[in-house]
Amino acid sequence: MRLYLASTSPARLALLRSSGIEPVTMAPGVDEDAVAAEAARQSGAPLTPHRVVELLARAKAEAVSVALRETGTHGDGLVLGGDSVFVIDEVIYGKPHTAEKARQRWQLQRGRTGQLFSGHWLIEHSNGQAGRAVGAVAVADVTFADDIGDDELDAYIATGEPLLVAGAFTIDSLGAPFITHIDGDPSTVVGLSLPTLRRLVTRLGHSWPSLWNRGPAS
């Protein structure tokens, strides 16, 4: 069973590879801000973190499913979309994109605990057509060290790593030493909860080992 990953995230790709899965990665090309803004306009109220990540994960998976049909890809497979946001003080934070915003967020979250929401949407794709779909959201609490110096933050931000990840931090790379505790599935914080994905695969009637296509030494 082939897994199509509607993401170009190196972290999600590395996580799947470490679990024995070599996915086909495809950029979904979704304007996340526009999709979320339109959904909020239609609902007449701000979106909850749960709704944001579910909505964007679905939009990405559906975009790649359409691309598979348009390119004439007829092989069986599962299309996975994902999205993550970080929440602290009931405020939703996505990717900061700039060093200034990343620094502001770290000054806010240093020594505190926030929640990382990761949305998943899985579409069954067969004979060039999208079929059944299932989704789920995983949540993990993340606690940051309270003794992180400004010089450490400046050095970390200068690497560019926190600019393109939700919450301006990672747990699988340079940001890991600044995190003291995680309550929940750690892979959720990477941006893809493996236990959640396994449950979704099972709900569609497939075996998790059927996705294994790479050995541990690959």
Side-chain angles (χ1 to χ4, degrees):
M1 180 65 68
R2 174 65 72 183
L3 180 68
Y4 295 91
L5 177 62
S7 171
T8 56
S9 163
R12 291 191 180 104
L13 176 59
L15 190 60
L16 288 169
R17 284 176 169 172
S18 70
S19 302
I21 301 171
E22 183 66 46
V24 176
T25 59
M26 299 179 65
V30 171
D31 186 334
E32 300 178 25
D33 291 339
V35 170
E38 176 60 19
R41 186 191 67 79
Q42 292 184 5
S43 67
L47 302 181
T48 65
H50 189 288
R51 177 62 177 142
V52 168
V53 295
E54 182 183 59
L55 173 73
L56 295 180
R58 179 172 183 170
K60 294 173 186 179
E62 290 179 343
V64 165
S65 181
V66 169
L68 289 174
R69 293 199 303 272
E70 292 177 345
T71 57
T73 302
H74 298 297
D76 293 344
L78 300 173
V79 180
L80 173 64
D83 190 74
S84 298
V85 297
F86 184 67
V87 176
I88 193 166
D89 292 335
E90 300 183 356
V91 178
I92 298 174
Y93 294 102
K95 303 169 185 175
H97 295 295
T98 68
E100 181 181 2
K101 288 184 179 179
R103 185 173 293 103
Q104 290 172 350
R105 294 184 188 180
W106 268 100
Q107 290 171 342
L108 171 68
Q109 63 202 32
R110 177 169 42 189
R112 303 181 63 196
T113 299
Q115 290 184 306
L116 198 293
F117 290 73
S118 283
H120 311 71
W121 196 263
L122 194 65
I123 300 174
E124 195 173 49
H125 200 270
S126 179
N127 297 319
Q129 297 296 322
R132 296 174 299 164
V134 290
V137 174
V139 185
D141 292 338
V142 182
T143 301
F144 302 94
D146 60 5
D147 61 349
I148 307 170
D150 289 342
D151 57 336
E152 292 179 301
L153 289 183
D154 289 341
Y156 180 45
I157 293 167
T159 68
E161 179 183 273
L163 274 58
L164 298 177
V165 289
F169 68 91
T170 65
I171 65 163
D172 56 338
S173 190
L174 300 177
F178 304 131
I179 296 170
T180 60
H181 183 73
I182 294 173
D183 185 7
D185 165 34
S187 63
T188 296
V189 188
V190 178
L192 170 60
S193 168
L194 292 173
T196 299
L197 176 58
R198 185 188 66 81
R199 287 193 293 271
L200 295 179
V201 170
T202 302
R203 282 175 57 187
L204 289 178
H206 301 285
S207 164
W208 176 253
S210 71
L211 295 178
W212 292 342
N213 60 354
R214 87 185 249 125
S218 299

